[in-house]
Amino acid sequence: MRPDTGRAGVVVAGGRSTRFGDTDKATVRVDGVPMIRRVVDGLAPAVDEIIVNCRRGQRPAFEAALSGLEVRFAEDPILDRGPVAGLRTGLQATTAEYAAVVACDMPFVPTALVDHLFAAARTHTGAVPEIGGQRQPFPAVVHVRAGLTACADAFVHQRGRLCEVVDVLDPVVVPERTVRAYADSAALRNINTRADLYEARVRT
């Protein structure tokens, strides 16, 4: 077996974007740049490799959106099992010791926050930010093998939800006052609807 080394970035992008309409939100442009490319650009300076989890049918559009960037794709073997399955697929594709995980609809996560999460996670199972008094599953840094175990546990013994993965992982929680030093609240919002996209475009 190869030793666990380095840092990976995992972008979870295999969802159906049902609240967004008939377009895959990951490829929609925010200030002229595809959303998924913004996510990768934010992760890349903090990691050694980028892995994009997706459905097979999404891959051509993602390859076009990420043209010129060094990324690998981890396709879901079974479709429509939710973000925990996508996270597990992405984590299975790396030999890194730790991975930063971000959803494809979070285009403003700053590199500095990702770096801080890596530092906080060192020697622990992971690190997640606290926003509004709640632990957030994304963005986060997880110990890869611990993350895989937590994903499996969430599927086998619970309901397969991201919050359950966080519960099982029991990561370091970065308090909101610290998170705010790196990112405002808008930077950590998901873009789920056209209204969210409009607000994001105004923000930029």
Side-chain angles (χ1 to χ4, degrees):
M1 294 179 62
R2 293 173 57 187
D4 296 334
T5 59
R7 298 174 168 185
V10 175
V11 181
V12 179
R16 296 280 181 180
S17 305
T18 54
R19 286 181 282 176
F20 198 79
D22 58 358
T23 302
D24 192 327
K25 62 184 176 182
T27 58
V28 170
R29 292 179 179 269
V30 179
D31 197 24
V33 180
M35 191 165 2
I36 193 170
R37 191 179 186 103
R38 280 183 170 271
V39 175
V40 171
D41 286 342
L43 276 176
V47 300
D48 303 310
E49 64 174 348
I50 298 282
I51 296 162
V52 176
N53 157 252
C54 64
R55 304 188 310 275
R56 179 173 297 179
Q58 294 173 295
R59 184 165 172 170
F62 286 0
E63 288 178 337
L66 299 170
S67 176
L69 301 180
E70 189 173 340
V71 301
R72 294 194 293 115
F73 292 91
E75 297 175 4
D76 287 320
I78 302 174
L79 301 184
D80 303 325
R81 295 196 67 192
V84 173
L87 174 59
R88 183 171 63 177
T89 298
L91 293 177
Q92 286 173 333
T94 183
T95 58
E97 184 175 13
Y98 284 89
V101 294
V102 182
C104 69
D105 58 3
M106 303 181 75
F108 302 116
V109 175
T111 305
L113 176 58
V114 176
D115 277 328
H116 183 79
L117 291 170
F118 271 116
R122 191 177 298 124
T123 75
H124 297 281
T125 56
V128 299
E130 180 185 61
I131 300 293
Q134 301 292 322
R135 298 180 302 177
Q136 303 299 311
F138 295 150
V141 165
V142 303
H143 185 275
V144 170
R145 284 183 289 173
L148 286 168
T149 298
C151 288
D153 188 277
F155 273 122
V156 173
H157 301 295
Q158 302 182 67
R159 292 172 291 178
R161 298 168 59 186
L162 284 171
C163 61
E164 294 163 348
V165 173
V166 174
D167 289 342
V168 173
L169 194 64
D170 193 25
V172 172
V173 178
V174 178
E176 187 162 355
R177 64 181 179 278
T178 302
V179 174
R180 296 298 184 205
Y182 297 95
D184 60 28
S185 58
L188 301 183
R189 290 176 184 163
N190 299 84
I191 296 178
N192 291 312
T193 66
R194 294 282 178 175
D196 294 339
L197 178 63
Y198 174 78
E199 289 183 12
R201 284 171 170 165
V202 170
R203 179 183 187 277
T204 60

